[in-house]
């Protein structure tokens, strides 16, 4: 991950080398004996446990309330909003309710330290103790640091967000991406995510620069605020959040295209925002404090952007491909636990590998997730498919709720808030205008090329649903050393609160106001499509641009057979000169099902079902040597509800054994018990147990 | 968790207060500017990622090799032994292969620090930077610390083991405990675990004291080694490891009683060893350096033992009970994700709560796991049952393999090994004798009271299978500051290696040598039991002592109806004065199935099936209001294989819908395809997909 250069702090090191410093030792200096030290260490450990316990309790409370809300079908406050409210409450209690007794005495010792290195070795009579830099303590407080030790303790290291909490969220986003709709709108999504974010970043940056200049004139600014800071602010608040959008739109079952556009944009958005913000920081040349605009540095930072983005992309895809290879060519699927563990470790190693190489781990993890879902997932045993899906779902849920409740907490526990009314007003205005400058012009341009136009009502909803969430928060808390960054952080927090509560809560009224149909099912859409005699199917194909069609054919003919067990075999698609290699790489299952596959393929091309665009035929070999074919996303797949996962992923929950018969199991309404061919038939299958539908 | 007092280090603090110290700042002092600092921070982050990546790669390699071994049915080396070998190899490479360039210059700055506090605040021209104590750096090295920075970096904080890696392992042990066989042998297990471990601890301690005294005379001892150190060593090496025993015996399907005894002992063992070792450390009164034997302090440490153990036990059970209540009285089961998250968080909070209260988190987590499996598990939705089981299985697998590969790594990466041949020989002898003093006398005494005697061949196997593993390692790495502890750590490492490789690998030959039947199935046992006309069933009941029978009735009549949905309703079992309360606490399902339950119960009492001792009838309510009864562990349950989980837990994998028909699905042999009533029938169901057996 590209690390942020902290301008002011770095400058200080240049200006003040070899300054005499003070060591403020927090200890009861009077009777420093073993009992005291042990007691302190134990106390500190207990305190840590208690702090973590606060968060666990917060999450537990959130879960119970979410359940209550879902149970009562109360939809105006999303769970993330709820987590924030609980976090706020606990923050208030910690700030004003709890008073930690201060240490009795402080020993201030002076010695010469030239700077603040990452590691400190303290020599106490021949023994060396290692100390690691934890971070800077609020400068205004000086000697009263003990006051807010409790509050400082509940403030996590910001890197925790980037290294522990964000990766599972982003991986899950990639892994659960509805690839069918995503690929159908790939062009528009890329336009919004890349061009749109850059536009938004610059629009916000320019507006903020205007505001900041005005504030400087009026005398409302308490510190430095450069143009690069404005651009940085633009970059971090341009990232829209996939979490809330996913949850709300999935529950409401809105138009699939709208959903794909918003979700796809917000997922890629995050990646763009990370790389953009770090490029902007790198834009300022080392040792140069001018913060001015320079064409050369601009180009350089654009190069950094491209390099980091493509590097992370390549790494993520590479690990995904390696995992696909391993799961394809070993019989690991006989041991689901091993398989799941391997999948988890490989996905995690993507993050670490990217970080170790200096790329952005989170971006790599996103593309790794997409690759894993597209290839590796098909090689996994059904049990591992379940396991991996559920594991990342759980990790995502926990990490997400943790981040949001932590956000609420930070409003009161963070020590150096700078709330500047003018800046806040400016920021809200800028965020609104930046979003508008992203959506409306791009939609206009895209509509020129799109057959399936993005209507004005959809544009308004996209404008409105640009919530800011976890990524914006994580980017802004990462560095809060300077005045500018502190002001940014406080303002960002307010923007997140506002968008999650107001925009998130108002999405449903907004949808009905814009007369966008809610409760649309993809299978319903397909039913009407069937009546249109396949015309829509062809539309869909034409809709995608030619680069995508080339990619689709390449993927179907070469990549899928290479990385999964699906046909057509490579021996049929590759030129004959590559024969031996192709034979080596094609799995025996692909040969066997060649004929069958061609039938299947024809069926797909003639069928009106949009959902069968990416028909995957997975052939699984079991321990006894027999083979079973899971024909995925054929006409049966079309009957499945849109549950936020791609059908391929959803299949394991609504699995049907297709062997001569085709069953459609519509499960959207729990009260509408489907007639399944089970023996003995359950009188009324519960919603919470989809397995009972299985044959 | 009771923290360890480090004698020597503490002593130093008393003797040398306010000594002048040195600050050895590791930084390139020549040009300390922002670029350097940033570069260093980035470098450090990359290095951390790379180090973690080493472990991930190690684990991935281990997984692939495990698969290969399982695939080829190679059983002489267990996966944990394998993980250790890979760890060893990487340790050798890191030690001798990789050379990290040294920093160009060191700046040694002197200042007065009176001790090594937990937190250090360094004042650099008005800015305060917080440093946290990471630990002591090897004292012998002095200024050459840079040399082994790489090796120090891959050495984790020992508390990571106690706070992150052990809890999931221990929780999983409790959660997957085969409660049926466990409760049948509860008396013997408690005797081995409590009395046996204490006996073993003192026998080892005394033998080691003799050896150490001899070594002192001969002049082979390079530092202090007190009697308390010997006892401490006895405590840490007395903990046998459940991991390897579980894996080997489960795979071999040995006699269920032997399995229950060994597994139950080794699980409770760990808890006893933790509390025992911390009590021994607390035994030495503060400020007293005599390390001599004292009756008063002995009693006090016994009090500490009892207090910590019972406190942790109570806390663990309490959180389990709270979780059972929450899952019973909310309809959280409609949302499996929320339910799983709640279950996970509550289980984790047990650990934190115990740590925050000063009890032992790991012990609390063990009893929490048992309670969760016994009560909460029955309230969960089938999907959550799957999810929680799989989640903890995965966490356990990863943590376990991580610990074992780390063990291998430590042999070369740890800086202060003290290998003393005499001590090592003494330790091996003491461990052997200590185990013998645990097993043989106790077995003799237990056999006086047991109907189902523990034969000599079983005793020999129990003696042989006392492997030392993760817990012994974690306890010994926790404190390696003094000479005595370093020698203990090095010796412990060798003991673990030896027992895992030699005893673990030799278990199968040992079993056949002792003519203990391998491949025994509990259903086979039951089949013969059925022919015995119910006599064995009654035997089993008589076998348990009266306290256990009282507990069983209390549990069945009051606790299960209170905490789960199972009958009989509390209104029937409680005295009439408690009527309103009983009505309030009984779930409506318990009433409805009262009659049915009595039938069921009678059936169980008349049935010869041993497995139906703890018959759980779970009544699930689904969203549509209809009720389904899952009759668990009735005659169907008896037909399920022993897969290391209790049948209750295993049920979800081999689920059968019992609705008038009873099906027996023996799945032990993957090649022996059972005839299941599926539509359409799979020609040969793969082993890796047990769901296909479902109706």
């Amino acid at each position: 991950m590209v690390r942020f250069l902290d301008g002011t702090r770095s400058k200080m090191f240049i200006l003040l080398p070899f300054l005499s410093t003070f060591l403020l030792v927090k200890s009861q200096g009077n009777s420093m004996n073993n009992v005291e030290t042990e007691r302190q260490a134990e106390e500190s450990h207990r305190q840590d446990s208690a702090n973590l316990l606060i968060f666990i309790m917060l999450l537990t409370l959130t879960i119970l309330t979410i359940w209550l809300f879902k149970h009562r079908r109360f939809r105006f406050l999303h769970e993330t909003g709820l987590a924030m409210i609980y976090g706020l409450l606990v923050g208030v209690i910690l700030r004003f309710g709890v008073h930690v007794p201060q240490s009795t005495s402080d020993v201030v010792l002076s010695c010469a330290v030239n700077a603040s290195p990452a590691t400190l070795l303290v020599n106490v009579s021949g023994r060396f103790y290692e100390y690691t830099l934890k971070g800077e303590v609020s400068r205004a407080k000086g000697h009263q640091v003990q006051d807010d030790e409790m509050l400082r303790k509940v403030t996590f290291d910001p890197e925790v967000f980037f290294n522990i909490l964000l990766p599972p969220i982003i991986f899950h986003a990639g892994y659960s991406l509805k690839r069918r709709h995503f690929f159908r709108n790939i062009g528009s999504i890329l336009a919004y995510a890349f061009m749109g974010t850059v536009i938004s970043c610059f629009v916000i940056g320019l507006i903020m620069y205007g505001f900041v200049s005005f504030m400087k004139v009026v005398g409302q600014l308490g510190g430095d605020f450069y143009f690069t800071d404005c651009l940085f602010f633009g970059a971090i608040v341009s990232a829209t959040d996939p979490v809330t959008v996913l949850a709300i739109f999935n529950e409401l079952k809105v138009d699939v295209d709208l959903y794909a556009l918003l979700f796809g944009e917000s997922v890629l958005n995050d990646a763009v925002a990370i790389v953009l913000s770090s490029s902007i920081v790198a834009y300022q040349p080392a040792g140069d404090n001018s913060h001015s605009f320079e064409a050369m540095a601009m180009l350089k930072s654009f190069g950094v952007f491209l390099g980091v983005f493509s590097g992370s992309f390549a790494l993520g895809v590479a690990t995904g491909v390696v995992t696909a290879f391993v799961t394809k060519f070993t019989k690991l699927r006989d041991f689901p636990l091993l398989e799941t563990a391997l999948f988890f470790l490989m996905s995690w190693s993507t993050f670490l590998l990217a970080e170790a190489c200096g790329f952005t781990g989170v971006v790599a993890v996103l593309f790794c997730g997409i690759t894993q879902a597209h290839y590796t997932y098909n090689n996994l045993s059904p049990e591992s498919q379940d396991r991996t899906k559920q594991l990342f779902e759980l990790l995502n849920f926990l990490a997400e709720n943790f981040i949001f409740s932590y956000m609420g907490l930070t409003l009161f526990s963070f020590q150096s808030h700078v709330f500047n009314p003018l800046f806040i007003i400016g920021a809200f205005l800028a965020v609104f205008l930046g979003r508008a400058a992203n959506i409306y012009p791009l939609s206009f341009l895209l509509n020129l090329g799109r057959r399936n136009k993005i209507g004005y009502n959809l544009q308004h909803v996209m404008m409105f649903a640009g919530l800011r969430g976890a990524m914006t928060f994580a980017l802004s808390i990462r560095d809060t050393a300077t005045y500018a960054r502190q002001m940014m952080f406080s303002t960002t927090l307010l923007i997140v609160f506002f968008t999650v509560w107001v925009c998130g809560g108002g999405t449903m009224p907004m949808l009905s106001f814009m007369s966008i149909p809610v409760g649309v099912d993809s299978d319903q859409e397909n039913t009407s499509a069937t009546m249109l005699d396949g015309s829509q199917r062809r539309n869909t194909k034409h809709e995608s641009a030619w680069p995508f069609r080339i990619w689709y054919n390449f993927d179907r003919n070469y990549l899928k057979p290479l990385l999964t067990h699906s046909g057509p075999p490579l021996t049929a698609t590759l030129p004959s000169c590559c024969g031996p290699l192709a034979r080596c790489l094609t799995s025996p299952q692909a040969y066997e099902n060649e004929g069958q596959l061609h039938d299947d393929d024809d069926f797909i091309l003639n069928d009106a079902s949009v959902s069968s665009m990416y028909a995957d035929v997975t052939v699984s070999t079991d321990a006894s040597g027999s083979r079973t074919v899971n024909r995925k996303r054929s006409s049966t797949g079309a009957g499945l509800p849109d549950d936020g996962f791609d059908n391929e992923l959803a299949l394991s929950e609504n699995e049907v054994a297709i062997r001569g018969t085709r069953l459609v199991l519509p499960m959207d309404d729990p009260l509408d018990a489907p007639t399944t061919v089970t023996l003995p038939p359950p009188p009324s299958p519960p919603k919470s147990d989809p397995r009972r539908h299985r044959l």
Side-chain angles (χ1 to χ4, degrees), chain A:
Chain A
M1 205 179 293
V2 177
R3 288 233 154 192
F4 288 59
L5 284 162
D6 171 3
T8 315
R9 182 174 138 195
S10 311
K11 210 168 47 178
M12 193 196 65
F13 288 142
I14 307 169
L15 295 172
L16 311 164
F18 297 93
L19 255 179
S20 113
T21 55
F22 296 94
L23 268 179
L24 191 122
V25 181
K26 291 193 294 177
S27 63
Q28 269 113 326
N30 307 326
S31 61
M32 172 52 77
N33 56 24
N34 57 342
V35 181
E36 275 303 308
T37 316
E38 271 306 317
R39 208 187 55 75
Q40 278 191 348
E42 204 176 313
E43 200 51 56
S44 154
H45 179 69
R46 281 191 200 181
Q47 191 61 51
D48 287 345
S49 300
N51 290 336
L52 203 49
L53 198 62
I54 290 171
F55 282 101
I56 304 290
M57 286 297 143
L58 253 176
L59 287 184
T60 311
L61 206 66
T62 310
I63 287 173
L64 288 178
T65 324
I66 291 170
W67 163 72
L68 210 68
F69 278 19
K70 287 202 173 190
H71 191 62
R72 304 244 174 268
R73 294 179 183 278
F74 180 81
R75 270 176 182 164
F76 289 96
L77 187 58
H78 186 249
E79 54 194 62
T80 49
L82 192 76
M84 285 204 301
I85 291 177
Y86 280 127
L88 271 180
L89 288 179
V90 173
V92 170
I93 293 169
L94 286 184
R95 178 101 198 205
F96 303 109
V98 180
H99 199 73
V100 179
Q102 295 190 15
S103 294
T104 45
S105 65
D106 297 332
V107 184
V108 184
L109 299 153
S110 69
C111 72
V113 182
N114 58 340
S116 66
T119 319
L120 215 61
L121 285 178
V122 179
N123 179 348
V124 183
S125 66
R127 280 165 176 278
F128 288 88
Y129 293 94
E130 189 177 10
Y131 285 81
T132 43
L133 180 59
K134 210 177 166 190
E136 195 186 345
V137 177
S138 164
R139 60 177 169 174
K141 311 283 167 162
H143 280 59
Q144 303 105 301
V145 255
Q146 263 75 15
D147 277 345
D148 33 46
E149 196 179 338
M150 174 75 184
L151 291 176
R152 265 194 311 116
K153 276 223 161 185
V154 296
T155 310
F156 282 81
D157 181 1
E159 293 302 310
V160 166
F161 290 99
F162 270 88
N163 296 332
I164 296 172
L165 295 172
L166 276 183
I169 295 182
I170 302 292
F171 183 86
H172 183 253
Y175 196 51
S176 66
L177 197 75
K178 293 168 80 74
R179 292 190 310 290
R180 176 163 44 103
H181 299 294
F182 178 80
F183 281 117
R184 191 153 58 139
N185 293 294
I186 187 85
S188 309
I189 290 171
L190 287 178
Y192 286 123
F194 280 80
M195 289 174 59
T197 308
V198 172
I199 291 172
S200 164
C201 166
F202 276 90
V203 167
I204 294 175
L206 286 171
I207 294 175
M208 286 324 290
Y209 193 63
F211 253 90
V212 165
S213 306
F214 172 70
M215 280 161 71
K216 214 175 263 167
V217 172
V218 179
Q220 284 281 309
L221 208 64
D224 290 336
F225 209 108
Y226 301 105
F227 181 61
T228 45
D229 290 328
C230 293
L231 274 185
F232 182 78
F233 182 72
I236 63 173
V237 296
S238 290
T240 56
D241 187 45
V243 170
T244 331
V245 174
L246 175 76
I248 294 173
F249 280 61
N250 182 36
E251 208 167 317
L252 296 179
K253 293 205 172 64
V254 295
D255 181 60
V256 281
D257 278 319
L258 175 62
Y259 182 91
L261 284 177
L262 263 176
F263 183 64
E265 184 210 350
S266 56
V267 164
L268 290 179
N269 230 347
D270 285 356
V272 176
I274 294 177
V275 183
L276 200 61
S277 57
S278 60
S279 309
I280 288 167
V281 172
Y283 162 79
Q284 182 200 341
D288 178 12
N289 301 307
S290 58
H291 291 83
S292 62
F293 194 83
E294 228 178 273
M296 209 41 219
M298 181 80 190
L299 267 181
K300 189 186 154 203
S301 86
F302 187 70
V304 171
F305 176 87
L306 275 189
V308 171
F309 200 93
S310 54
S312 310
F313 173 83
L315 253 178
V317 171
T319 16
V321 165
V322 168
T323 318
F325 263 122
V326 170
T327 47
K328 183 186 175 186
F329 289 108
T330 64
K331 286 218 171 56
L332 211 60
R333 47 182 293 129
D334 296 342
F335 306 96
L337 177 63
L338 295 185
E339 205 178 31
T340 310
L342 183 91
F343 188 90
F344 177 77
L345 290 176
M346 289 300 288
S347 305
W348 189 18
S349 72
T350 309
F351 178 82
L352 292 173
L353 198 64
E355 294 285 299
C357 294
F359 294 125
T360 311
V362 176
V363 176
V365 151
L366 169 68
F367 291 107
C368 176
I370 295 176
T371 316
Q372 300 280 40
H374 197 56
Y375 301 113
T376 314
Y377 187 82
N378 300 305
N379 298 339
L380 298 180
S381 65
E383 201 180 330
S384 290
Q385 293 182 340
D386 260 14
R387 282 186 182 213
T388 51
K389 207 185 71 179
Q390 290 173 357
L391 175 71
F392 284 108
E393 201 184 344
L394 180 70
L395 289 180
N396 170 63
F397 177 82
L398 290 176
E400 188 188 298
N401 279 291
F402 186 89
I403 288 189
F404 277 92
S405 61
Y406 185 72
M407 269 186 224
L409 191 74
T410 325
L411 191 62
F412 289 96
S413 74
F414 185 66
Q415 304 283 311
S416 325
H417 272 305
V418 179
F419 288 111
N420 189 321
L422 255 179
F423 188 82
I424 292 166
I425 294 168
F428 271 88
L429 194 71
V431 165
F432 180 80
L433 291 177
R435 183 78 189 156
N438 171 357
I439 298 297
Y440 295 116
L442 280 180
S443 301
F444 175 76
L445 289 176
L446 287 170
N447 275 341
L448 296 180
R450 275 178 78 104
R451 274 194 172 221
N452 179 12
K453 308 282 186 212
I454 303 166
Y456 281 113
N457 53 352
L458 290 192
Q459 291 178 30
H460 294 322
V461 170
M462 286 184 75
M463 167 83 208
F464 186 77
L467 311 191
R468 268 62 168 185
M471 185 54 79
T472 302
F473 175 76
L475 282 172
S476 67
I477 203 180
R478 201 166 196 189
D479 183 354
T480 53
T482 66
Y483 171 80
R485 291 287 162 87
Q486 285 162 5
M487 196 155 75
M488 273 184 218
F489 175 65
S490 305
T491 311
T492 306
L493 216 51
L494 293 182
I495 292 173
V496 172
F497 286 168
F498 180 83
T499 55
V500 169
W501 285 333
V502 176
C503 299
T507 303
M508 212 164 65
M510 182 75 183
L511 283 173
S512 61
F513 181 70
M514 286 295 158
S515 61
I516 288 173
V518 170
V520 176
D521 266 339
S522 46
D523 54 334
Q524 227 173 349
E525 198 190 44
N526 295 335
T527 319
S528 61
T530 319
M531 293 165 200
L532 288 172
D533 198 26
S535 63
Q536 188 167 333
R537 172 77 193 85
R538 257 164 248 135
N539 274 358
T540 310
K541 192 134 199 195
H542 276 285
E543 213 170 90
S544 345
W546 59 267
F548 176 59
R549 262 176 288 153
I550 290 176
W551 159 251
Y552 170 70
N553 286 324
F554 179 70
D555 181 54
R556 204 185 64 88
N557 289 331
Y558 304 103
L559 288 183
K560 283 233 164 184
L562 179 65
L563 296 170
T564 70
H565 293 295
S566 76
L570 285 172
T571 41
T573 53
L574 279 178
S576 55
C577 59
C578 311
L581 188 71
R583 262 191 294 283
C584 187
L585 292 173
T586 306
S587 68
Q589 292 92 317
Y591 290 110
E592 199 167 287
N593 299 282
E594 190 177 358
Q596 209 173 350
L597 280 165
H598 278 302
D599 287 345
D600 205 4
D601 219 52
D602 285 345
F603 158 74
I604 288 159
L605 287 172
N606 295 329
D607 192 282
S609 160
V610 182
S611 66
S612 55
M613 184 162 182
Y614 263 63
D616 293 319
V617 177
T618 314
V619 185
S620 56
T621 321
D622 49 45
S624 57
S626 82
R627 294 197 180 92
T628 16
V629 182
N630 286 356
R631 223 174 287 165
K632 290 181 174 179
R633 248 186 285 146
S634 56
S635 66
T636 316
L640 295 172
D642 251 356
D643 70 336
F645 274 86
D646 207 354
N647 270 342
E648 194 168 282
L649 282 165
L651 208 75
S652 53
E653 280 202 359
N654 308 296
E655 202 176 328
V656 210
I658 320 159
R659 200 159 270 283
T661 51
R662 286 220 167 83
L663 301 168
V664 179
L665 305 176
M667 280 180 59
D668 5 324
D669 197 344
L671 297 169
D672 180 25
T675 326
T676 52
V677 195
T678 47
L679 190 103
S684 179
K687 189 193 179 187
S688 59
D689 185 11
R691 267 192 212 89
R692 305 204 176 181
H693 293 279
R694 287 202 192 128
L695 287 187

